[in-house]
Amino acid sequence: MAAQQKNVWAFRFTTLSLVLIPVAVGINYVGKLFAAALKLPLWLDSIGTVLAGMLAGPWIGAISGAVNNIIFGITADPVSFWYLITSIVIGLVVGYLAMTGWIRDFGRAVLLGLIVALAAAVVSTPINVILWEGTTSNVWGDALYTILRDQGTPVWIASFIDELVVDLLDKVATVIVSFLIFKALPQRLTGLFAGQDQVEKL
């Protein structure tokens, strides 16, 4: 068991895994643009991060998420820097569970989406309170936030619920899309990232 745990957290900075990082960032951008173009009440900006975690483990997933936020913060919106930690946590959670063979089927992928949503909400809520007095700039979530505040709900609780409602939809959809992409890839390719034994568990 100890050996497996150590292996899960081992750094896998191969040429292929390093190439995966910019690919993951590109996928994140496409997802974000897609959601914006269709005016969806979702972000869909973590698909590449989740996929990188599934393929290459927690560290590559975390780095992909961090690089994504840094690049987006420089080129588009400086606020993205604030949410860098959220992207890192997403990559770590997905990568760890994927490398332990926990994600075996569609049902578990949905459950992973729920876990990621909860983790993202916990990390993002303090940032939302600091920057936006608790709101998320999402129409659905902020409408609920307004109702909760009008009823006397404390800012932190209302902000957490606001974030969680949005993340439940966004992160479940994100993980499902990433999982479907992952399963569509040839096992021979996925085996090059994380090692054949771990891929077979998935």
Side-chain angles (χ1 to χ4, degrees):
M1 180 64 70
Q4 181 182 7
Q5 187 80 356
K6 181 179 179 181
N7 198 27
V8 168
W9 291 106
F11 288 90
R12 297 182 178 85
F13 292 129
T14 64
T15 300
L16 193 59
S17 65
L18 292 177
V19 169
L20 177 62
I21 294 173
V23 173
V25 172
I27 293 174
N28 285 342
Y29 265 75
V30 171
K32 190 177 186 69
L33 291 174
F34 179 79
L38 295 182
K39 297 182 179 179
L40 299 176
L42 305 172
W43 295 300
L44 299 181
D45 57 355
S46 300
I47 296 174
T49 300
V50 172
L51 182 60
M54 289 180 175
L55 284 169
W59 297 118
I60 295 299
I63 293 172
S64 297
V67 171
N68 175 77
N69 280 63
I70 291 171
I71 293 177
F72 195 79
I74 294 174
T75 61
D77 187 358
V79 173
S80 181
F81 287 116
W82 284 82
Y83 293 94
L84 182 145
I85 183 63
T86 303
S87 295
I88 291 176
V89 168
I90 291 172
L92 290 175
V93 170
V94 173
Y96 173 78
L97 290 176
M99 291 300 104
T100 55
W102 190 83
I103 311 169
R104 298 187 185 93
D105 51 43
F106 184 82
R108 289 203 173 198
V110 173
L111 183 55
L112 174 62
L114 298 176
I115 294 172
V116 172
L118 180 60
V122 169
V123 176
S124 297
T125 295
I127 302 173
N128 293 338
V129 172
I130 293 171
L131 294 182
W132 322 114
E133 298 182 349
T135 61
T136 61
S137 299
N138 179 279
V139 176
W140 290 4
D142 288 349
L144 178 59
Y145 175 85
T146 300
I147 293 174
L148 292 172
R149 290 293 291 143
D150 288 343
Q151 294 177 346
T153 304
V155 171
W156 282 86
I157 296 177
S159 180
F160 175 75
I161 295 174
D162 177 349
E163 180 70 32
L164 183 60
V165 166
V166 179
D167 274 329
L168 282 174
L169 295 172
D170 180 65
K171 299 307 182 289
V172 169
T174 293
V175 173
I176 288 175
V177 171
S178 302
F179 178 76
L180 293 176
I181 294 173
F182 176 82
K183 297 300 285 186
L185 295 173
Q187 191 177 69
R188 189 173 182 178
L189 174 61
T190 59
L192 294 175
F193 285 98
Q196 190 64 31
D197 291 340
Q198 291 161 329
V199 172
E200 286 177 353
K201 292 179 182 178
L202 298 180

